[in-house]
């Protein structure tokens, strides 16, 4: 039986730890486009990156995996040599059953859990409600556009059940009130803002929105993963990554 795209993506990420080279065959070296601006295009830089990671302090734990058409998405914990503990999202686009494009968003793992005692990767992992994929994606699209980009907080309660939200952000804790307070603080200081959404991917109850904006006055990529239940947002994970100056990029493809 053929492995799913998300299973093969998981094998690729685990190969950073295992040093197994076979999963690299899932890439199409003729077309591969890299959006991690710290890496050059092509498979050579990936292989070099793998070789440079010390075997005794490299670990990969894939916490969540979803698949949406030609895309696979992973949410993972890493220990990456000198970089230490990291949290990351990985997106692969497939064409003719090979990976032709890659995006990611990474940040250091916080030393402490958030105020509700949650880490950036714990929580629910099971993908269910496959029949609700499209309606869940539509809800997250509307939420991202109306609440995060346009800042229309008056309708915020419509997206949650009785103000409940399991929150994995390192910046605030559970509940819609905490989220609303953070949004109002962002609006007041003007240093953090969502500007537009670039990509929306989902499978069943899990939906990832990839957006662009500013974080503490620096260009940034926002990756927000939502778990939905009964047509409401129930749980949220995120990674914010600032985008370095263009003159430091090692490819010309850009973050998005």
């Amino acid at each position: 039986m053929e492995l799913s795209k998300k299973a093969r993506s998981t094998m690729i990420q685990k190969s950073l730890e295992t040093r197994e080279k076979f999963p690299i065959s899932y890439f199409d070296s003729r077309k591969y486009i890299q959006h991690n601006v710290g890496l050059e295009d092509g498979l050579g830089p990936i292989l070099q990156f793998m070789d440079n990671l010390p075997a005794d302090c490299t670990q990969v734990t894939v916490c969540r995996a979803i698949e949406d058409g030609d895309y696979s998405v992973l949410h993972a914990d890493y220990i990456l040599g000198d970089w230490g503990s990291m949290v990351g999202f990985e997106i692969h686009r497939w064409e003719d059953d090979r990976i032709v494009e890659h995006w990611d968003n990474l940040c250091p793992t916080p030393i402490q859990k958030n105020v509700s005692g949650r880490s950036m990767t714990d929580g629910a992992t099971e993908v269910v409600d496959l029949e609700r994929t499209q309606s869940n994606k539509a809800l997250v699209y509307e939420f991202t556009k109306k609440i995060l980009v346009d800042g229309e907080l008056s309708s915020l309660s419509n997206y949650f059940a009785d103000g409940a939200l399991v929150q994995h952000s390192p910046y605030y804790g559970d509940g819609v009130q905490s989220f609303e307070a953070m949004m109002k603080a962002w609006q007041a200081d003007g240093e953090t803002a969502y500007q537009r959404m670039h990509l929306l991917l989902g499978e069943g109850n899990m939906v990832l929105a990839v957006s662009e904006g500013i974080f503490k006055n620096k260009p940034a990529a926002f990756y927000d993963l939502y778990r939905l239940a009964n047509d409401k947002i129930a749980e949220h994970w995120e990674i914010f990554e600032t985008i370095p100056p263009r003159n430091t990029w090692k490819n010309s493809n850009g973050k998005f």
Side-chain angles (χ1 to χ4, degrees):
M1 182 170 140
E2 184 179 6
L3 291 172
S4 66
K5 293 179 178 68
K6 60 185 179 182
R8 284 176 282 171
S9 285
T10 297
M11 290 175 63
I12 289 168
Q13 296 310 119
K14 286 295 290 183
S15 71
L16 296 175
E17 175 183 330
T18 65
R19 306 308 168 98
E20 172 63 54
K21 291 296 193 292
F22 172 75
I24 300 301
S25 67
Y26 296 137
F27 290 92
D28 188 333
S29 60
R30 303 163 300 170
K31 300 180 179 180
Y32 185 66
I33 300 169
Q34 175 64 261
H35 291 276
N36 181 321
V37 296
L39 291 173
E40 296 176 359
D41 266 338
L43 296 188
I46 295 176
L47 294 172
Q48 187 62 57
F49 175 75
M50 293 175 64
D51 288 342
N52 289 342
L53 287 172
D56 60 345
C57 54
T58 299
Q59 295 180 20
V60 179
T61 303
V62 174
C63 304
R64 284 162 200 88
I66 64 175
E67 188 171 321
D68 187 348
D70 293 331
Y71 293 85
S72 52
V73 178
L74 303 181
H75 186 207
D77 279 319
Y78 296 102
I79 298 176
L80 297 175
D82 292 341
W83 287 285
S85 297
M86 307 284 289
V87 182
F89 283 108
E90 310 285 342
I91 301 174
H92 292 129
R93 182 173 69 84
W94 299 71
E95 188 176 288
D96 297 327
D97 215 36
R98 291 290 183 271
I99 292 171
V100 296
E101 199 163 6
H102 168 255
W103 300 259
D104 62 16
N105 227 36
L106 299 159
C107 74
T109 304
I111 297 174
Q112 297 180 327
K113 295 183 177 181
N114 71 12
V115 296
S116 294
R118 305 187 191 282
S119 78
M120 291 186 71
T121 56
D122 61 7
T125 61
E126 186 179 5
V127 175
V128 297
D129 300 333
L130 296 182
E131 73 282 0
R132 295 193 179 191
T133 297
Q134 294 308 315
S135 62
N136 284 340
K137 288 175 67 176
L139 187 146
V140 171
Y141 176 88
E142 182 182 287
F143 175 81
T144 303
K145 177 67 169 63
K146 184 177 289 188
I147 303 298
L148 296 179
V149 176
D150 295 341
E152 298 179 14
L153 298 183
S154 60
S155 60
L156 181 60
S157 62
N158 297 341
Y159 299 94
F160 303 90
D162 300 321
L165 173 63
V166 178
Q167 182 59 258
H168 297 273
S169 168
Y171 303 108
Y172 52 101
D174 286 356
V176 176
Q177 285 187 337
S178 293
F179 172 74
E180 184 176 16
M182 177 63 72
M183 285 291 297
K184 288 180 176 178
W186 288 351
Q187 291 176 348
D189 65 31
E191 295 182 355
T192 299
Y194 285 68
Q195 295 170 332
R196 61 172 173 151
M197 183 172 60
H198 284 269
L199 191 60
L200 184 72
L201 300 170
E203 182 181 15
N205 60 329
M206 298 283 187
V207 180
L208 175 72
V210 174
S211 305
E212 179 179 2
I214 56 170
F215 179 60
K216 298 181 180 179
N217 284 326
K218 295 181 178 179
F222 301 100
Y223 279 44
D224 291 281
L225 178 64
Y226 301 93
R227 179 178 65 82
L228 295 98
N230 300 317
D231 301 316
K232 301 290 183 181
I233 294 172
E235 194 164 6
H236 171 245
W237 301 263
E238 69 184 14
I239 293 177
F240 298 170
E241 183 180 356
T242 56
I243 303 171
R246 190 180 184 91
N247 62 3
T248 67
W249 295 1
K250 293 186 178 180
N251 66 63
S252 60
N253 303 316
K255 184 71 173 173
F256 303 100

